[in-house]
Structure formats: C-alpha cells, structure tokens
Coordinates of all heavy atoms in Angstrom, one line a residue:
M247 N -73.3 69.9 -13.5 CA -73.4 68.6 -12.9 C -72.0 68.1 -12.5 O -71.0 68.2 -13.3 CB -74.0 67.6 -13.8 CG -74.2 66.2 -13.2 SD -75.2 65.2 -14.3 CE -75.9 64.2 -13.1
N248 N -71.8 67.7 -11.3 CA -70.5 67.3 -10.8 C -70.3 65.8 -11.1 O -71.0 64.9 -10.7 CB -70.4 67.5 -9.3 CG -69.0 67.2 -8.8 OD1 -68.1 66.7 -9.5 ND2 -68.8 67.5 -7.6
Y249 N -69.3 65.4 -12.0 CA -69.1 64.0 -12.4 C -68.3 63.3 -11.3 O -68.0 62.1 -11.5 CB -68.4 64.0 -13.7 CG -69.3 64.4 -14.8 CD1 -69.2 65.6 -15.4 CD2 -70.2 63.5 -15.3 CE1 -70.0 66.0 -16.4 CE2 -71.1 63.9 -16.4 CZ -71.0 65.2 -16.9 OH -71.7 65.5 -17.9
Y250 N -67.8 64.0 -10.3 CA -67.0 63.4 -9.3 C -67.7 63.1 -8.0 O -67.2 63.0 -6.9 CB -65.7 64.2 -9.0 CG -64.9 64.3 -10.3 CD1 -64.9 65.5 -11.0 CD2 -64.1 63.3 -10.7 CE1 -64.2 65.7 -12.2 CE2 -63.4 63.4 -11.8 CZ -63.4 64.6 -12.5 OH -62.6 64.7 -13.7
E251 N -69.0 63.0 -8.0 CA -69.8 62.8 -6.9 C -69.6 61.4 -6.3 O -69.2 60.5 -7.1 CB -71.3 62.9 -7.2 CG -71.7 64.3 -7.5 CD -73.2 64.5 -7.8 OE1 -74.0 63.5 -7.4 OE2 -73.6 65.3 -8.5
D252 N -69.7 61.2 -5.1 CA -69.5 59.9 -4.5 C -70.8 59.1 -4.6 O -71.8 59.5 -4.0 CB -69.1 60.1 -3.0 CG -68.8 58.7 -2.3 OD1 -68.6 57.7 -3.1 OD2 -68.8 58.7 -1.1
H253 N -70.8 58.1 -5.4 CA -71.9 57.2 -5.6 C -71.8 56.0 -4.8 O -72.6 55.1 -4.9 CB -72.0 56.8 -7.1 CG -72.3 58.0 -8.0 ND1 -73.5 58.6 -8.0 CD2 -71.5 58.7 -8.8 CE1 -73.5 59.6 -8.9 NE2 -72.2 59.7 -9.4
S254 N -70.9 55.9 -3.9 CA -70.7 54.7 -3.0 C -71.9 54.4 -2.2 O -72.2 53.3 -1.8 CB -69.5 54.7 -2.3 OG -69.6 55.8 -1.3
A255 N -72.7 55.4 -1.8 CA -73.8 55.3 -0.9 C -74.9 54.5 -1.7 O -75.8 53.9 -1.1 CB -74.3 56.5 -0.4
Q256 N -75.0 54.6 -3.0 CA -76.0 53.9 -3.8 C -75.7 52.5 -4.0 O -76.6 51.7 -4.4 CB -76.1 54.7 -5.2 CG -76.6 56.1 -5.0 CD -76.6 56.8 -6.4 OE1 -76.1 56.3 -7.4 NE2 -77.1 58.0 -6.4
K257 N -74.5 52.0 -3.8 CA -74.1 50.6 -4.0 C -74.8 49.8 -2.9 O -74.9 50.2 -1.7 CB -72.6 50.4 -4.0 CG -72.0 51.1 -5.1 CD -70.5 50.8 -5.0 CE -69.8 51.6 -6.1 NZ -68.3 51.5 -6.0
T258 N -75.3 48.6 -3.4 CA -75.9 47.7 -2.3 C -74.8 46.7 -2.0 O -74.0 46.2 -2.8 CB -77.1 46.9 -2.9 OG1 -76.7 46.2 -4.1 CG2 -78.2 47.9 -3.2
T259 N -74.7 46.3 -0.8 CA -73.7 45.4 -0.3 C -74.4 44.0 0.1 O -75.5 44.1 0.7 CB -72.9 45.9 0.9 OG1 -73.8 46.2 2.0 CG2 -72.1 47.2 0.5
V260 N -73.7 43.0 -0.2 CA -74.2 41.7 0.2 C -73.8 41.5 1.7 O -72.7 41.6 2.1 CB -73.6 40.6 -0.6 CG1 -74.1 39.2 -0.2 CG2 -74.1 40.8 -2.1
P261 N -74.8 41.0 2.5 CA -74.4 40.8 3.9 C -73.4 39.7 4.0 O -73.2 38.8 3.1 CB -75.7 40.3 4.6 CG -76.8 40.7 3.6 CD -76.2 40.8 2.3
D262 N -72.5 39.7 5.0 CA -71.5 38.7 5.2 C -72.2 37.3 5.4 O -73.2 37.2 6.0 CB -70.7 39.0 6.5 CG -69.7 40.2 6.2 OD1 -69.4 40.5 5.0 OD2 -69.3 40.7 7.2
H263 N -71.5 36.4 4.8 CA -71.9 34.9 5.1 C -70.7 34.2 5.6 O -69.7 33.9 4.9 CB -72.3 34.3 3.7 CG -72.7 32.9 3.8 ND1 -73.7 32.4 4.7 CD2 -72.2 31.8 3.2 CE1 -73.8 31.1 4.5 NE2 -72.9 30.7 3.6
D264 N -70.7 33.8 6.8 CA -69.7 33.1 7.5 C -70.2 31.9 8.2 O -71.3 31.9 8.7 CB -69.0 34.0 8.5 CG -68.3 35.2 8.0 OD1 -67.7 35.1 6.9 OD2 -68.5 36.4 8.5
I265 N -69.4 30.9 8.2 CA -69.7 29.7 8.9 C -68.6 29.3 9.9 O -67.4 29.4 9.6 CB -69.8 28.5 8.0 CG1 -70.9 28.7 6.9 CG2 -70.1 27.2 8.7 CD1 -70.9 27.7 5.8
T266 N -68.9 29.2 11.2 CA -68.0 28.8 12.3 C -68.5 27.6 12.9 O -69.6 27.5 13.4 CB -67.9 30.0 13.3 OG1 -67.7 31.2 12.6 CG2 -66.9 29.7 14.3
M267 N -67.6 26.5 12.9 CA -67.9 25.3 13.5 C -66.9 25.1 14.7 O -65.7 25.3 14.5 CB -67.8 24.1 12.5 CG -68.3 22.8 13.2 SD -68.1 21.4 12.2 CE -68.8 21.8 10.6
K268 N -67.4 24.7 15.8 CA -66.7 24.4 17.0 C -66.8 23.0 17.4 O -67.9 22.6 17.9 CB -67.1 25.4 18.1 CG -66.9 26.8 17.9 CD -67.4 27.8 18.9 CE -67.3 29.2 18.5 NZ -68.0 30.1 19.4
G269 N -65.8 22.2 17.1 CA -65.7 20.9 17.6 C -66.8 20.0 17.0 O -67.1 18.9 17.6
R270 N -67.3 20.3 15.8 CA -68.3 19.5 15.1 C -69.6 19.4 16.0 O -70.5 18.6 15.7 CB -67.8 18.1 14.9 CG -68.0 17.7 13.5 CD -67.5 16.3 13.2 NE -68.4 15.5 12.5 CZ -68.2 14.3 12.1 NH1 -67.1 13.7 12.3 NH2 -69.2 13.6 11.5
K271 N -69.7 20.3 17.0 CA -70.9 20.2 17.9 C -71.7 21.5 17.9 O -72.9 21.5 18.2 CB -70.4 20.0 19.3 CG -69.7 18.7 19.6 CD -69.3 18.5 21.0 CE -68.6 17.3 21.2 NZ -68.1 17.1 22.6
L272 N -71.1 22.6 17.4 CA -71.8 23.9 17.4 C -71.4 24.6 16.1 O -70.3 24.7 15.8 CB -71.3 24.8 18.6 CG -72.0 26.1 18.8 CD1 -73.5 26.0 18.9 CD2 -71.4 26.9 19.9
L273 N -72.5 25.1 15.4 CA -72.3 25.7 14.1 C -73.1 27.1 14.2 O -74.2 27.1 14.5 CB -73.0 24.8 13.1 CG -72.8 25.2 11.7 CD1 -71.3 25.1 11.2 CD2 -73.6 24.2 10.7
D274 N -72.3 28.1 13.8 CA -72.8 29.4 13.7 C -72.7 29.9 12.3 O -71.7 29.8 11.7 CB -72.0 30.5 14.6 CG -72.2 30.2 16.1 OD1 -73.3 29.8 16.5 OD2 -71.2 30.3 16.8
I275 N -73.9 30.4 11.8 CA -74.0 30.7 10.3 C -74.6 32.1 10.3 O -75.6 32.4 10.8 CB -74.8 29.7 9.5 CG1 -74.4 28.3 9.7 CG2 -74.9 30.1 8.1 CD1 -75.3 27.3 9.2
S276 N -73.9 33.0 9.6 CA -74.4 34.3 9.3 C -74.8 34.4 7.8 O -74.3 33.7 7.0 CB -73.4 35.4 9.7 OG -72.2 35.3 8.9
G277 N -75.6 35.5 7.5 CA -76.0 35.6 6.1 C -77.2 34.8 5.7 O -77.4 34.5 4.6
V278 N -78.0 34.4 6.7 CA -79.1 33.5 6.5 C -80.3 34.4 6.2 O -80.6 35.2 7.0 CB -79.4 32.6 7.7 CG1 -80.6 31.8 7.6 CG2 -78.2 31.7 8.0
K279 N -80.9 34.2 5.1 CA -82.1 34.9 4.7 C -83.4 34.2 5.3 O -84.3 35.0 5.7 CB -82.3 35.0 3.2 CG -81.2 35.8 2.6 CD -81.4 36.2 1.2 CE -81.5 35.0 0.2 NZ -81.5 35.4 -1.2
Q280 N -83.4 32.9 5.3 CA -84.6 32.2 5.8 C -84.3 30.7 6.2 O -83.4 30.1 5.5 CB -85.6 32.2 4.6 CG -87.0 31.6 5.0 CD -88.0 31.8 3.9 OE1 -87.8 32.6 3.0 NE2 -89.1 31.0 4.0
V281 N -84.9 30.3 7.2 CA -84.8 28.9 7.5 C -86.0 28.2 6.9 O -87.2 28.4 7.2 CB -84.9 28.7 9.0 CG1 -84.9 27.2 9.4 CG2 -83.8 29.4 9.7
E282 N -85.7 27.4 5.8 CA -86.8 26.7 5.0 C -87.4 25.6 5.8 O -88.6 25.5 5.9 CB -86.2 26.1 3.8 CG -85.6 27.2 2.8 CD -86.7 28.1 2.2 OE1 -87.8 27.7 2.1 OE2 -86.3 29.2 1.8
S283 N -86.6 24.8 6.5 CA -87.2 23.7 7.3 C -86.1 23.1 8.1 O -84.9 23.3 7.9 CB -87.7 22.6 6.4 OG -86.8 21.9 5.7
F284 N -86.5 22.4 9.2 CA -85.5 21.8 10.0 C -86.1 20.7 10.9 O -87.3 20.7 11.2 CB -84.7 22.8 10.9 CG -85.6 23.4 12.0 CD1 -85.7 22.9 13.3 CD2 -86.3 24.6 11.7 CE1 -86.4 23.5 14.2 CE2 -87.1 25.2 12.7 CZ -87.1 24.6 14.0
D285 N -85.3 19.7 11.2 CA -85.6 18.7 12.1 C -84.3 18.2 12.9 O -83.4 18.8 12.7 CB -86.4 17.5 11.5 CG -85.6 16.8 10.4 OD1 -84.4 16.8 10.4 OD2 -86.3 16.2 9.5
N286 N -84.4 17.1 13.5 CA -83.2 16.7 14.3 C -82.1 16.0 13.5 O -81.1 15.8 14.0 CB -83.6 15.8 15.5 CG -84.2 14.4 15.0 OD1 -84.6 14.3 13.9 ND2 -84.2 13.5 15.9
E287 N -82.4 15.8 12.2 CA -81.4 15.3 11.3 C -81.0 16.2 10.1 O -79.9 16.0 9.5 CB -81.9 14.0 10.6 CG -82.0 12.9 11.7 CD -82.6 11.6 11.1 OE1 -83.0 11.6 9.9 OE2 -82.5 10.6 11.7
E288 N -81.7 17.3 9.9 CA -81.3 18.2 8.7 C -82.0 19.5 8.9 O -83.1 19.7 9.3 CB -81.9 17.6 7.4 CG -81.6 18.3 6.2 CD -81.9 17.5 4.9 OE1 -83.1 17.1 4.8 OE2 -81.0 17.2 4.1
F289 N -81.2 20.5 8.5 CA -81.6 21.9 8.4 C -81.5 22.4 6.9 O -80.5 22.1 6.3 CB -80.7 22.9 9.2 CG -81.1 22.9 10.7 CD1 -81.0 21.8 11.5 CD2 -81.6 24.1 11.3 CE1 -81.4 21.9 12.9 CE2 -82.0 24.2 12.5 CZ -81.8 23.1 13.4
L290 N -82.5 23.0 6.4 CA -82.4 23.6 5.1 C -82.5 25.2 5.2 O -83.5 25.6 5.7 CB -83.6 23.1 4.2 CG -83.5 21.6 3.8 CD1 -84.7 21.2 3.0 CD2 -82.2 21.3 3.1
L291 N -81.5 25.8 4.7 CA -81.4 27.3 4.9 C -81.3 27.9 3.6 O -80.6 27.4 2.7 CB -80.2 27.6 5.8 CG -80.0 26.9 7.1 CD1 -78.6 27.3 7.7 CD2 -81.2 27.3 8.1
D292 N -81.9 29.1 3.5 CA -81.6 30.0 2.3 C -80.7 31.0 2.8 O -81.0 31.9 3.6 CB -82.9 30.6 1.8 CG -82.8 31.4 0.6 OD1 -81.7 31.2 -0.1 OD2 -83.7 32.2 0.3
T293 N -79.5 31.1 2.2 CA -78.4 32.1 2.6 C -78.2 33.0 1.4 O -78.7 32.9 0.3 CB -77.0 31.4 2.9 OG1 -76.5 30.9 1.8 CG2 -77.3 30.3 4.0
V294 N -77.4 34.1 1.7 CA -77.0 35.1 0.7 C -76.2 34.4 -0.4 O -76.0 35.0 -1.4 CB -76.4 36.3 1.2 CG1 -77.4 37.0 2.2 CG2 -75.1 36.0 2.0
M295 N -75.6 33.3 -0.1 CA -74.7 32.5 -1.1 C -75.4 31.4 -1.7 O -74.8 30.6 -2.4 CB -73.5 32.1 -0.4 CG -72.6 33.2 0.0 SD -71.9 34.0 -1.4 CE -71.0 35.3 -0.6
G296 N -76.7 31.1 -1.4 CA -77.4 30.1 -2.0 C -78.1 29.2 -1.0 O -77.9 29.3 0.3
A297 N -78.8 28.2 -1.4 CA -79.4 27.2 -0.5 C -78.4 26.3 0.2 O -77.4 25.9 -0.5 CB -80.4 26.3 -1.3
M298 N -78.6 26.0 1.4 CA -77.7 25.2 2.1 C -78.4 24.1 2.9 O -79.4 24.3 3.5 CB -76.9 26.1 3.1 CG -76.0 25.4 4.2 SD -75.3 26.5 5.3 CE -74.0 27.2 4.4
A299 N -77.8 22.9 3.0 CA -78.3 21.8 3.8 C -77.2 21.5 4.9 O -76.0 21.3 4.5 CB -78.6 20.6 2.9
I300 N -77.7 21.3 6.1 CA -76.8 20.8 7.2 C -77.4 19.5 7.7 O -78.6 19.5 8.0 CB -76.7 21.9 8.3 CG1 -76.0 23.1 7.8 CG2 -75.9 21.3 9.5 CD1 -76.9 24.3 7.8
R301 N -76.6 18.5 7.7 CA -77.1 17.2 8.1 C -76.3 16.7 9.3 O -75.1 17.0 9.4 CB -77.0 16.2 7.0 CG -77.9 16.5 5.8 CD -77.8 15.5 4.7 NE -78.4 16.0 3.5 CZ -77.8 16.6 2.5 NH1 -76.5 16.7 2.5 NH2 -78.5 17.0 1.5
G302 N -77.0 15.9 10.1 CA -76.4 15.4 11.3 C -77.3 14.6 12.2 O -78.3 14.1 11.7
E303 N -77.0 14.5 13.5 CA -78.0 13.9 14.4 C -78.2 14.7 15.7 O -77.2 15.5 16.1 CB -77.5 12.4 14.7 CG -76.2 12.4 15.5 CD -75.8 11.0 15.8 OE1 -76.4 10.0 15.2 OE2 -74.9 10.7 16.6
N304 N -79.3 14.6 16.2 CA -79.7 15.4 17.4 C -79.4 16.9 17.2 O -79.0 17.6 18.1 CB -78.9 14.9 18.6 CG -79.1 13.5 19.0 OD1 -80.3 13.0 18.8 ND2 -78.2 12.7 19.4
L305 N -79.7 17.4 16.0 CA -79.6 18.8 15.7 C -80.7 19.6 16.3 O -81.9 19.2 16.3 CB -79.6 19.0 14.1 CG -78.5 18.3 13.4 CD1 -78.7 18.6 11.8 CD2 -77.1 18.7 13.8
Q306 N -80.3 20.7 16.9 CA -81.3 21.7 17.5 C -80.8 23.0 17.2 O -79.7 23.4 17.1 CB -81.2 21.5 19.1 CG -81.6 20.1 19.6 CD -81.4 20.0 21.0 OE1 -81.1 21.0 21.7 NE2 -81.5 18.9 21.6
M307 N -81.9 23.9 17.0 CA -81.6 25.3 16.8 C -81.3 25.9 18.2 O -82.2 26.0 19.0 CB -82.8 26.0 16.2 CG -82.5 27.4 15.7 SD -83.8 28.3 14.8 CE -84.1 27.1 13.5
K308 N -80.1 26.3 18.4 CA -79.7 26.9 19.6 C -80.1 28.4 19.7 O -80.5 29.0 20.7 CB -78.2 26.9 19.9 CG -77.7 27.4 21.1 CD -76.2 27.2 21.3 CE -75.8 27.9 22.5 NZ -74.3 28.1 22.6
N309 N -79.9 29.1 18.5 CA -80.3 30.6 18.5 C -80.7 31.0 17.1 O -80.1 30.4 16.1 CB -79.0 31.4 18.9 CG -79.2 32.9 19.0 OD1 -80.4 33.3 19.3 ND2 -78.2 33.7 18.9
L310 N -81.6 31.9 16.9 CA -82.1 32.4 15.7 C -82.3 33.9 15.9 O -83.1 34.3 16.6 CB -83.4 31.7 15.3 CG -84.0 32.3 14.0 CD1 -83.2 32.1 12.8 CD2 -85.4 31.6 13.8
D311 N -81.5 34.7 15.1 CA -81.6 36.1 15.0 C -82.0 36.5 13.6 O -81.2 36.6 12.8 CB -80.3 36.8 15.5 CG -80.4 38.3 15.7 OD1 -81.4 38.9 15.0 OD2 -79.6 38.8 16.4
V312 N -83.3 36.7 13.5 CA -83.8 37.0 12.1 C -83.3 38.3 11.6 O -83.0 38.5 10.4 CB -85.4 36.9 12.1 CG1 -85.9 37.2 10.8 CG2 -85.9 35.6 12.5
D313 N -83.3 39.3 12.4 CA -82.9 40.6 12.1 C -81.4 40.7 11.5 O -81.1 41.4 10.5 CB -83.0 41.7 13.2 CG -84.5 41.8 13.6 OD1 -85.4 41.7 12.7 OD2 -84.8 42.1 14.8
R314 N -80.6 40.0 12.2 CA -79.2 39.9 11.8 C -78.8 38.8 10.9 O -77.7 38.7 10.4 CB -78.3 40.0 13.0 CG -78.4 41.2 13.8 CD -77.6 41.2 15.1 NE -76.4 40.5 15.1 CZ -75.8 40.0 16.1 NH1 -76.3 40.1 17.4 NH2 -74.6 39.3 16.0
G315 N -79.8 37.8 10.7 CA -79.5 36.7 9.8 C -78.5 35.7 10.3 O -77.7 35.1 9.6
I316 N -78.6 35.5 11.6 CA -77.7 34.5 12.3 C -78.4 33.3 12.8 O -79.5 33.5 13.5 CB -76.9 35.2 13.4 CG1 -76.1 36.4 12.8 CG2 -76.0 34.2 14.2 CD1 -75.4 37.2 13.9
V317 N -78.0 32.1 12.5 CA -78.5 30.9 13.0 C -77.4 30.1 13.8 O -76.3 30.0 13.2 CB -79.1 30.0 11.9 CG1 -79.6 28.7 12.4 CG2 -80.2 30.8 11.2
S318 N -77.7 29.6 14.9 CA -76.8 28.7 15.7 C -77.4 27.3 15.8 O -78.6 27.2 16.2 CB -76.5 29.2 17.1 OG -75.8 30.5 16.9
I319 N -76.7 26.3 15.4 CA -77.2 24.9 15.5 C -76.3 24.1 16.4 O -75.0 24.2 16.2 CB -77.3 24.4 14.0 CG1 -78.2 25.2 13.2 CG2 -77.7 22.9 14.1 CD1 -78.1 24.9 11.8
K320 N -76.8 23.3 17.2 CA -76.0 22.4 18.0 C -76.4 21.0 17.7 O -77.6 20.7 17.3 CB -76.0 22.7 19.5 CG -77.3 22.5 20.2 CD -77.2 22.8 21.7 CE -78.6 22.4 22.4 NZ -78.4 22.6 23.9
G321 N -75.5 20.0 18.0 CA -75.7 18.6 17.7 C -74.5 18.0 17.1 O -73.4 18.7 17.0
R322 N -74.5 16.8 16.5 CA -73.4 16.2 15.9 C -73.6 16.5 14.4 O -74.5 16.0 13.7 CB -73.4 14.8 16.2 CG -72.1 14.2 15.5 CD -72.0 12.7 15.9 NE -71.1 12.1 14.9 CZ -70.0 11.5 15.4 NH1 -69.8 11.3 16.6 NH2 -69.2 10.9 14.5
I323 N -72.6 17.2 13.8 CA -72.8 17.7 12.4 C -72.0 16.7 11.5 O -70.8 16.5 11.7 CB -72.2 19.1 12.2 CG1 -73.2 20.0 13.0 CG2 -72.2 19.5 10.8 CD1 -72.6 21.3 13.5
F324 N -72.7 16.1 10.5 CA -72.0 15.3 9.6 C -71.6 16.0 8.3 O -70.5 15.7 7.8 CB -73.1 14.1 9.1 CG -73.4 13.2 10.2 CD1 -74.7 12.6 10.3 CD2 -72.6 13.0 11.3 CE1 -75.0 11.7 11.2 CE2 -72.9 12.1 12.3 CZ -74.2 11.5 12.3
D325 N -72.4 16.9 7.7 CA -72.0 17.6 6.5 C -72.8 18.9 6.3 O -73.9 19.0 6.8 CB -72.1 16.7 5.2 CG -73.5 16.2 4.9 OD1 -74.4 17.0 4.9 OD2 -73.6 15.0 4.6
I326 N -72.1 19.8 5.6 CA -72.7 21.0 5.2 C -72.6 21.1 3.7 O -71.4 21.0 3.1 CB -71.9 22.2 5.8 CG1 -71.9 22.0 7.3 CG2 -72.4 23.6 5.4 CD1 -70.9 22.9 8.0
V327 N -73.7 21.3 3.0 CA -73.7 21.3 1.6 C -74.4 22.5 1.0 O -75.6 22.8 1.4 CB -74.4 19.9 1.0 CG1 -74.4 19.9 -0.5 CG2 -73.7 18.7 1.6
Y328 N -73.8 23.2 0.0 CA -74.5 24.1 -0.8 C -75.3 23.5 -1.9 O -74.7 22.6 -2.7 CB -73.6 25.2 -1.3 CG -73.1 26.2 -0.3 CD1 -71.8 25.9 0.4 CD2 -73.8 27.3 0.1 CE1 -71.4 26.8 1.3 CE2 -73.3 28.1 1.1 CZ -72.1 27.9 1.7 OH -71.7 28.7 2.7
L329 N -76.5 23.8 -2.1 CA -77.2 23.2 -3.2 C -77.3 24.2 -4.4 O -78.3 24.9 -4.6 CB -78.7 22.9 -2.7 CG -78.8 22.1 -1.4 CD1 -80.2 22.0 -0.9 CD2 -78.3 20.6 -1.7
D330 N -76.2 24.2 -5.1 CA -76.1 25.2 -6.2 C -76.8 24.7 -7.5 O -77.1 23.6 -7.7 CB -74.6 25.3 -6.6 CG -73.8 26.1 -5.5 OD1 -74.5 26.9 -4.7 OD2 -72.6 26.0 -5.5
D331 N -76.9 25.7 -8.4 CA -77.5 25.4 -9.7 C -76.6 24.6 -10.5 O -77.0 23.9 -11.5 CB -77.8 26.7 -10.5 CG -78.9 27.5 -9.8 OD1 -79.8 26.9 -9.2 OD2 -78.9 28.7 -10.0
Q332 N -75.3 24.5 -10.2 CA -74.3 23.7 -10.9 C -74.7 22.3 -10.8 O -74.4 21.4 -11.7 CB -72.9 23.9 -10.4 CG -72.4 25.3 -10.7 CD -71.1 25.6 -9.9 OE1 -70.7 24.7 -9.1 NE2 -70.5 26.7 -10.1
E333 N -75.3 21.9 -9.6 CA -75.7 20.5 -9.5 C -77.3 20.5 -9.6 O -78.0 19.9 -8.9 CB -75.5 20.1 -8.0 CG -74.0 20.1 -7.7 CD -73.7 19.7 -6.2 OE1 -74.5 19.0 -5.7 OE2 -72.7 20.1 -5.7
G334 N -77.7 21.1 -10.7 CA -79.2 21.3 -10.9 C -80.1 20.1 -10.7 O -80.9 20.1 -10.0
E335 N -79.6 19.0 -11.4 CA -80.5 17.8 -11.3 C -80.4 17.2 -9.9 O -81.4 16.8 -9.4 CB -80.0 16.7 -12.4 CG -80.2 17.2 -13.8 CD -81.7 17.5 -14.0 OE1 -82.6 16.7 -13.6 OE2 -82.0 18.5 -14.6
K336 N -79.3 17.2 -9.3 CA -79.1 16.6 -7.9 C -80.0 17.4 -7.0 O -80.7 16.9 -6.1 CB -77.7 16.6 -7.5 CG -77.4 15.9 -6.2 CD -75.9 15.9 -5.9 CE -75.7 15.2 -4.6 NZ -74.3 15.2 -4.3
A337 N -79.9 18.8 -7.1 CA -80.6 19.6 -6.1 C -82.1 19.5 -6.4 O -82.9 19.4 -5.5 CB -80.2 21.1 -6.3
K338 N -82.5 19.5 -7.6 CA -84.0 19.3 -7.9 C -84.4 18.0 -7.4 O -85.5 17.9 -6.9 CB -84.2 19.4 -9.5 CG -84.1 20.8 -10.0 CD -84.3 20.7 -11.6 CE -83.9 22.1 -12.1 NZ -84.0 22.0 -13.6
G339 N -83.7 16.9 -7.6 CA -84.1 15.6 -7.1 C -84.2 15.6 -5.6 O -85.1 15.0 -5.1
F340 N -83.3 16.2 -4.9 CA -83.2 16.3 -3.5 C -84.5 17.0 -3.0 O -85.2 16.6 -2.1 CB -82.0 17.1 -3.0 CG -81.9 17.3 -1.6 CD1 -81.7 16.4 -0.7 CD2 -82.2 18.6 -1.0 CE1 -81.6 16.6 0.7 CE2 -82.2 18.8 0.3 CZ -81.9 17.8 1.1
F341 N -84.8 18.2 -3.6 CA -86.0 18.9 -3.1 C -87.3 18.3 -3.5 O -88.3 18.3 -2.8 CB -86.0 20.4 -3.7 CG -85.1 21.3 -2.9 CD1 -84.0 21.9 -3.4 CD2 -85.4 21.6 -1.6 CE1 -83.1 22.7 -2.6 CE2 -84.6 22.4 -0.8 CZ -83.5 23.0 -1.4
S342 N -87.3 17.6 -4.7 CA -88.5 17.0 -5.1 C -88.8 15.7 -4.2 O -89.9 15.5 -3.9 CB -88.4 16.5 -6.6 OG -87.5 15.4 -6.7
K343 N -87.8 15.0 -3.7 CA -88.0 13.9 -2.7 C -88.4 14.5 -1.4 O -89.2 13.9 -0.7 CB -86.7 13.2 -2.6 CG -86.3 12.3 -3.8 CD -84.9 11.6 -3.5 CE -84.5 11.0 -4.8 NZ -83.1 10.4 -4.6
L344 N -87.9 15.7 -1.0 CA -88.1 16.2 0.2 C -89.6 16.7 0.4 O -90.3 16.6 1.4 CB -87.2 17.4 0.5 CG -87.3 18.1 1.8 CD1 -86.9 17.1 3.0 CD2 -86.4 19.3 1.9
F345 N -90.1 17.3 -0.8 CA -91.4 17.9 -0.7 C -92.5 17.1 -1.3 O -93.6 17.6 -1.8 CB -91.4 19.3 -1.4 CG -90.5 20.3 -0.6 CD1 -89.4 20.8 -1.1 CD2 -90.9 20.7 0.7 CE1 -88.6 21.6 -0.4 CE2 -90.1 21.5 1.4 CZ -88.9 22.1 0.8
K346 N -92.3 15.8 -1.5 CA -93.4 14.8 -2.0 C -94.5 14.7 -1.1 O -94.4 14.7 0.1 CB -92.8 13.5 -2.4 CG -92.1 13.5 -3.7 CD -91.7 12.1 -4.0 CE -91.1 12.0 -5.4 NZ -90.7 10.7 -5.8

C-alpha cells in the first residue's frame, strides 16, 4: 500500500460565499443553497455560511441561478444580517414571529 497517495480528490470543498453590493441598489450573493422566502421588504436565504436576512424596500429578485447558487437582488438595501446560532434566542424569536 502506498502511503503517499494523493487524497486531495476525496476532500470536499465548501462553495465560495461572496457578497457584492453596488451602490446599495444591487446585491449579488454566491454560495446560496436555498431561497427560503422573499417579498419586497425582506429576503431570507440559506447560504453555505448560515441563514441570512436582507432587508430593504422595493426589493426584487433580479436573477436566480440555482445550479451555481447565485442570487441577485435589486432595490434599496437597508441591512444584511447573518442569523447565527450565537444569537440563538434572537434568531429563534425572529423565525417564530415570521412563521406564526
């Protein structure tokens, strides 16, 4: 048995997760696993780095590429928030209010 075999092909890589904002009017996000919900004031996304909420006004999905995990959102963007486990109670409260 050769102990010096290249095992790099067996490693799994996490897809890139990048956020590009242009003038607070256009947002491109990669590494999106799923769009949970959206309306003209809020988008909830599941990304490779965790759950994400984008809030603003007149938000619209400009582009969605499910195969590559890319979402483009246009409108006036107020904030981008990751809903981490570190903020467990806040995130739970947010989702419980959202899905009542």
Side-chain angles (χ1 to χ4, degrees):
M247 180 173 212
N248 185 356
Y249 290 101
Y250 299 102
E251 293 178 25
D252 182 19
H253 294 287
S254 63
Q256 296 176 354
K257 294 180 184 176
T258 58
T259 58
V260 176
D262 287 338
H263 175 59
D264 296 316
I265 301 171
T266 305
M267 186 184 311
K268 298 176 185 169
R270 228 178 135 176
K271 296 178 184 177
L272 181 61
L273 187 64
D274 293 319
I275 305 168
S276 64
V278 176
K279 296 193 293 187
Q280 184 173 346
V281 177
E282 297 291 338
S283 67
F284 67 94
D285 60 26
N286 64 344
E287 293 181 348
E288 183 174 59
F289 276 67
L290 294 176
L291 309 174
D292 184 19
T293 73
V294 295
M295 295 291 178
M298 172 187 280
I300 295 110
R301 294 182 192 98
E303 66 182 10
N304 299 323
L305 299 180
Q306 300 173 6
M307 189 177 309
K308 182 180 174 193
N309 187 24
L310 172 63
D311 187 336
V312 178
D313 295 331
R314 293 177 32 205
I316 298 173
V317 174
S318 296
I319 300 169
K320 70 177 184 176
R322 184 177 165 125
I323 295 153
F324 295 153
D325 61 49
I326 303 167
V327 180
Y328 285 96
L329 306 170
D330 288 339
D331 291 335
Q332 296 170 354
E333 300 178 27
E335 292 304 314
K336 184 176 180 183
K338 286 179 189 174
F340 174 75
F341 279 114
S342 66
K343 289 177 187 175
L344 184 66
F345 295 114
K346 277 187 177 181

